[in-house]
DNA sequence: GCTTTGTTTCCTGATT
DNA sequence: CAATCAGGAAACAAAG
């Protein structure tokens, strides 16, 4: 007699992993500084791993800055935690970009922290000696710092930071300026009328921007009214702008904080073709389950597996370079973990069943799936799909099965950072 | 350009 | 009966 799947696969309730490291966060001597913003206080009171966790959490806010703020951030602080609103053509510019994908001039505070953390780890520097309040600066501020200033703040690490900063400035400086000018030229070619906007409402002056050649760092001053720009460029579908600054990834409008109202949906964000893509690439459509000529609408059974994405040239092809996949380092299990260790961010979505054992439960499974989909800019994410991805973690021992309990999972030995104390929470 | 990785999508069938 | 679980299959895109 062949055992059922349930009997074959259930009953693996192993104990939690004892080898998981527990890191005690080093308190910052400035943690009680009343002047610091609350978000900075959080960062300042944690060690660098905590900073990374906090920074990673900020990444998850991509789609919904209103609902996923850091624990203590007020709406007015949002822009300090989000990617810059500046018009750039920085290489690989996306919604949240790692510091190494952006010119330092465009770094957010988060990028700066990630950069510092990278160097701390690389050089095995003792982070507990750092004044974390001083780490909280955005790219433009960082770029203005002298060698002496960096050394005075970071000590020996400051030397390394300064050298790397010089390299990064050199690497991105000319490129950014060229790219930005190219973009503006293309933009003006496509939308000559946009120049008429200049002066009409006083929002921006592309003419003068195009003529501006004061160096890459000066481009930081070209803060545009992004929703307007997006609105202007929304009709563009085929000219390549989608991978440029009009992309919701390159100009993450939803992350622009107080500068603009929230862009509530993916579909209204111009070239964000995710919504369109999900429609156009909808398997039901792509597979044409019904007769195209309408003579006899017979349902057609869909093949197994994921439908093949339509290639360029197909009438259903939607131009996009956008990936639905998370960048490496932002995995589903980490997303889940961070919901659990930041319950105040999304109360009621998930809960610990057994914190010590790493057992947790989905309270609002579809809501979590939607949140995950929001992060991945995938509006069609469901708990069913999410749970499939979760089940793949069993094999990799990132998760362990919990028998007979619906919506309950357990972190496995290859999951890290969920243990109490490991992330400073 | 190929391979690997981490999903995403859809499916069938079983269980709760 | 609906929701969920389990896992096969195929596709996709970033990264190596």
């Amino acid at each position: 007699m062949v055992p059922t799947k349930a009997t074959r696969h259930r009953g693996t309730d192993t104990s939690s992993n004892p080898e998981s490291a527990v890191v005690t966060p080093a308190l910052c001597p400035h943690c009680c500084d009343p002047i610091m913003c609350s978000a900075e206080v959080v960062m300042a009171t944690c060690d660098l791993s905590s900073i990374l966790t906090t920074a990673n959490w900020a990444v998850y806010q991509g789609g919904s800055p209103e609902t996923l703020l850091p624990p203590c951030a007020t709406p007015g602080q949002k822009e300090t935690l989000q990617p810059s609103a500046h018009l750039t053509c920085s290489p690989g510019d996306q919604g949240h970009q790692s510091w190494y994908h952006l010119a330092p001039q465009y770094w957010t505070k988060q990028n700066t922290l990630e950069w510092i953390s990278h160097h701390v780890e690389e050089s095995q520097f003792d982070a507990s000696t750092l004044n974390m309040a001083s780490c909280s600066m955005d790219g433009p501020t960082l770029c203005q710092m002298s060698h002496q200033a960096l050394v005075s703040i970071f000590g020996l690490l400051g030397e390394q930071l300064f050298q790397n900063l010089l390299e990064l400035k050199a690497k991105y400086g000319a490129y950014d300026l060229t790219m930005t000018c190219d973009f503006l030229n293309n933009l003006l070619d496509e939308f000559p009328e946009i120049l008429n906007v200049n002066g009409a409402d006083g929002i921006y002056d592309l003419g003068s921007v195009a003529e501006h050649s004061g160096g890459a760092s000066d481009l930081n001053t070209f803060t545009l009214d992004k929703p307007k720009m997006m609105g202007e460029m929304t009709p563009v579908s085929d000219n390549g702008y989608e991978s440029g600054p009009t992309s919701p990834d390159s100009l993450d409008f939803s992350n622009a904080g107080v500068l603009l109202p929230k862009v509530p949906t993916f579909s209204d964000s111009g070239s964000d073709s995710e919504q369109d893509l999900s429609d156009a690439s909808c398997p039901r459509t792509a597979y044409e389950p019904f007769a195209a000529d309408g003579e006899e609408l017979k349902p057609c059974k869909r093949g197994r597996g994921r439908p093949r994405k339509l290639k360029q040239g197909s009438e259903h092809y939607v131009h996009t370079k956008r990936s639905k996949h998370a960048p490496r380092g932002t995995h589903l299990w980490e997303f889940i973990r961070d919901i659990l260790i930041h319950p105040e961010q999304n109360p009621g979505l998930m809960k610990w069943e057994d914190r010590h054992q790493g057992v947790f439960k989905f309270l609002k499974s579809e809501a979590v799936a939607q949140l995950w989909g929001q992060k991945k800019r995938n509006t069609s994410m469901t708990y069913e799909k999410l749970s499939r991805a979760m089940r793949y973690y069993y094999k990799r021992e990132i998760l362990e099965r919990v028998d007979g309990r619906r919506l309950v999972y357990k972190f496995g030995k290859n999951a890290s950072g969920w243990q109490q104390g490991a992330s400073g929470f």
Side-chain angles (χ1 to χ4, degrees), chain A residues 28-333:
Chain A
C28 167
H30 294 257
C31 61
C32 298
D33 188 343
I35 299 172
M36 292 170 62
C37 79
S38 50
E40 289 169 332
V41 169
V42 166
M43 291 176 177
T45 54
C46 305
D47 63 6
L48 280 176
S49 65
S50 300
I51 293 166
L52 284 173
T53 300
T54 304
N56 284 338
W57 182 254
V59 173
Y60 296 146
Q61 302 169 48
S64 180
E66 272 70 22
T67 59
L68 284 171
L69 283 172
C72 43
T74 65
Q77 292 164 340
K78 273 183 281 186
E79 81 278 19
T80 67
L81 300 166
Q82 298 298 334
S84 161
H86 299 131
L87 171 65
T88 82
C89 291
S90 304
D93 199 355
Q94 295 195 344
H96 169 78
Q97 282 289 317
S98 299
W99 59 268
Y100 51 82
H101 284 143
L102 283 172
Q105 294 90 334
Y106 309 124
W107 286 355
T108 59
K109 290 182 179 180
Q110 179 188 325
N111 289 136
T112 305
L113 280 167
E114 289 168 351
W115 175 70
I116 294 168
S117 300
H118 167 80
H119 284 283
V120 165
E121 288 179 14
E122 193 178 73
S123 61
Q124 305 284 303
F125 189 79
D126 180 9
S128 65
T129 65
L130 290 180
N131 175 348
M132 298 312 294
S134 303
C135 298
S136 184
M137 68 180 101
D138 57 15
T141 306
L142 177 68
C143 288
Q144 288 175 358
M145 295 190 73
S146 66
H147 172 263
Q148 192 175 11
L150 279 171
V151 171
S152 68
I153 292 174
F154 298 102
L156 287 174
L157 184 67
E159 185 74 43
Q160 178 182 335
L161 293 175
F162 183 75
Q163 290 304 322
N164 186 240
L165 189 59
L166 283 181
E167 290 169 17
L168 290 169
K169 280 181 181 174
K171 176 184 171 187
Y172 285 116
Y175 182 68
D176 268 359
L177 178 60
T178 303
M179 290 287 286
T180 304
C181 290
D182 285 346
F183 160 69
L184 290 170
N185 285 336
N186 289 337
L187 181 68
L188 291 169
D189 286 343
E190 284 293 326
F191 299 97
E193 69 276 14
I194 206 166
L195 283 174
N196 296 333
V197 174
N198 165 28
D201 53 16
I203 291 179
Y204 44 75
D205 182 347
L206 281 181
S208 62
V209 168
E211 290 169 10
H212 197 103
S213 58
S217 59
D218 289 341
L219 294 172
N220 284 321
T221 62
F222 302 147
T223 304
L224 301 183
D225 182 309
K226 294 193 296 182
K228 188 165 188 68
M229 287 290 286
M230 184 65 104
E232 292 289 336
M233 300 176 72
T234 294
V236 180
S237 61
D238 229 356
N239 58 8
Y241 283 143
E242 95 293 337
S243 61
T246 62
S247 160
D249 294 317
S250 55
L251 286 177
D252 192 348
F253 294 178
S254 65
N255 283 345
V258 296
L259 293 174
L260 49 123
K262 181 189 178 189
V263 178
T265 66
F266 300 125
S267 57
D268 64 355
S269 55
S271 61
D272 187 344
S273 54
E274 286 305 320
Q275 186 66 55
D276 297 336
L277 179 61
S278 63
D279 292 338
S281 63
C282 167
R284 307 296 179 197
T285 306
Y287 272 67
E288 292 294 348
F290 301 102
D293 55 8
E295 56 182 45
E296 190 178 358
L297 297 181
K298 283 189 291 190
C300 151
K301 197 170 182 179
R302 194 194 163 279
R304 288 191 69 124
R306 186 178 181 167
R308 178 182 289 277
K309 190 177 181 179
L310 292 165
K311 300 299 181 190
Q312 191 165 13
S314 158
E315 59 182 332
H316 295 300
Y317 181 83
V318 177
H319 212 72
T320 179
K321 289 181 180 177
R322 186 75 192 75
S323 168
K324 283 184 176 181
H325 300 271
R328 290 285 151 88
T330 309
H331 300 141
L332 173 59
W333 71 268

Side-chain angles (χ1 to χ4, degrees), chain A residues 313-366:
Chain A
S314 158
E315 59 182 332
H316 295 300
Y317 181 83
V318 177
H319 212 72
T320 179
K321 289 181 180 177
R322 186 75 192 75
S323 168
K324 283 184 176 181
H325 300 271
R328 290 285 151 88
T330 309
H331 300 141
L332 173 59
W333 71 268
E334 293 170 314
F335 171 78
I336 296 298
R337 177 199 64 192
D338 289 348
I339 289 177
L340 284 161
I341 64 179
H342 294 275
E344 71 282 0
Q345 311 256 342
N346 291 283
L349 290 190
M350 306 185 71
K351 70 166 186 178
W352 289 107
E353 290 268 293
D354 186 332
R355 186 73 164 83
H356 273 292
Q357 297 289 314
V359 180
F360 59 91
K361 181 176 185 176
F362 284 82
L363 298 177
K364 294 177 184 171
S365 55
E366 283 302 329

